[in-house]
Amino acid sequence: MRAGVLLLVALLTPLAAAAQTPVPPVSASAPAQTPVPVYGFEVVRVYPHDPTAFTQGLVFRDGELLESTGRYPSTVRRVRLEDGVVLQRRELDEDYFGEGLTAIDDRVLTLTWKGGKGFIWDPVTLEPEGEFAYAGEGWGLTDDSTRLILSDGSSMLRFLDPETLAETGRVRVTLQGRPVSQINELEWIEGEVFANLWRSDTIVRIDPATGVVTGVIDLTELMPDRRDLDPTDAVLNGIAWDPVGRRLFVTGKNWPKLFEIRLTEPR
């Protein structure tokens, strides 16, 4: 088996164990699989990030960041990229634990973890504009301009109609034929879904038509010094893409920094 595949199995095995979904053992006689590329990174620039923000969703829009946070009270906020200053902030009711966020058609939509309820916000004032319901848990949220794409912590991605907010389909995310669970924050980037894997320093690149993982981004060394952070919860989470400047931003829950990174050639 190629070294890249071994790395992927090592990365995904603890995640599957945490979700009580066993990863089948790798057999020496198993058919050869096409290696999945593993990308490294270069840091282009570092920005301040509010260390009290338990980041759940992140979007770059009109030169600013839109961010949703969890815990209580959960928030939706507009953030100035250059210095991390929170320009606008709305709190969710204490009954709701905030989750993923996306911006589509001059609306901001956010999820809640176990509330079965999503919220619609004005993208400038963050005034509440409506609510919607969905079955099960809400984790990550993104869109491809025609569909909303939702993760629920399982290996499934759900597709929702952006107008009716009704579910229109699902696809299972797999790596070399095996389900990949713990899919968390999502970002649509040039025809692919980039997804954080909860409690992992990796991002997977997913073909939305098939659910197949086409690449893995290894961010293990992005912020190696985490001595002052909670090792359980202060994990990598938050992906934002600037389609005009083609800039990729990533951060983590309660991280004091937000990073602009450039992907390097796969190994």
Side-chain angles (χ1 to χ4, degrees):
M1 179 171 290
R2 296 288 296 273
V5 176
L6 286 172
L7 171 61
L8 297 179
V9 171
L11 289 169
L12 295 175
T13 297
L15 297 172
Q20 299 183 346
T21 304
V23 172
V26 178
S27 169
S29 60
Q33 299 273 6
T34 301
V36 178
V38 180
Y39 296 83
F41 69 94
E42 297 174 348
V43 174
V44 177
R45 188 171 173 184
V46 181
Y47 301 88
H49 180 249
D50 180 3
T52 70
F54 194 74
T55 305
Q56 302 285 50
L58 194 67
V59 166
F60 184 86
R61 182 184 182 275
D62 294 340
E64 300 173 349
L65 294 170
L66 293 168
E67 184 173 18
S68 58
T69 70
R71 293 184 168 162
Y72 304 99
S74 295
T75 69
V76 180
R77 45 180 75 183
R78 287 176 44 235
V79 179
R80 190 159 58 208
L81 171 65
E82 287 74 19
D83 56 12
V85 169
V86 177
L87 302 172
Q88 193 85 24
R89 169 190 169 113
R90 299 286 178 181
E91 293 185 357
L92 276 62
D93 187 279
E94 289 279 0
D95 291 337
Y96 296 107
F97 190 107
E99 285 283 350
L101 170 152
T102 196
I104 181 173
D105 298 333
D106 290 324
R107 295 174 298 158
V108 173
L109 291 85
T110 62
L111 303 176
T112 58
W113 180 23
K114 295 183 176 180
K117 180 182 287 188
F119 296 98
I120 304 171
W121 313 84
D122 180 277
V124 177
T125 66
L126 299 184
E127 287 285 344
E129 294 190 335
E131 301 177 355
F132 61 99
Y134 51 89
E137 296 185 1
W139 285 41
L141 189 65
T142 190
D143 70 88
D144 64 0
S145 298
T146 62
R147 302 174 297 176
L148 301 176
I149 306 171
L150 179 152
S151 66
D152 58 13
S154 72
S155 60
M156 304 299 296
L157 291 180
R158 307 189 212 171
F159 301 100
L160 309 181
D161 183 286
E163 297 302 324
T164 67
L165 299 167
E167 185 173 325
T168 59
R170 296 186 178 201
V171 66
R172 185 178 299 279
V173 178
T174 60
L175 171 63
Q176 302 215 328
R178 309 179 214 193
V180 179
S181 62
Q182 306 290 285
I183 298 170
N184 203 357
E185 214 270 312
L186 308 175
E187 181 76 0
W188 180 265
I189 302 179
E190 298 185 338
E192 294 181 299
V193 176
F194 281 47
N196 283 118
L197 299 184
W198 185 49
R199 290 184 176 169
S200 136
D201 284 330
T202 58
I203 292 172
V204 292
R205 302 173 63 163
I206 304 166
D207 180 340
T210 64
V212 170
V213 172
T214 60
V216 170
I217 304 168
D218 181 3
L219 298 179
T220 305
E221 297 302 320
L222 179 60
M223 199 169 76
D225 185 0
R226 305 183 195 178
R227 286 173 293 180
D228 296 328
L229 301 178
D230 184 332
T232 301
D233 287 336
V235 296
L236 181 75
N237 202 60
I239 310 167
W241 174 247
D242 170 12
V244 177
R246 303 191 78 251
R247 294 183 293 172
L248 178 59
F249 303 100
V250 294
T251 190
K253 300 174 186 289
N254 299 130
W255 283 19
K257 300 176 182 179
L258 179 141
F259 299 87
E260 178 187 341
I261 63 172
R262 180 185 301 115
L263 301 186
T264 58
E265 289 298 315
R267 56 181 187 269

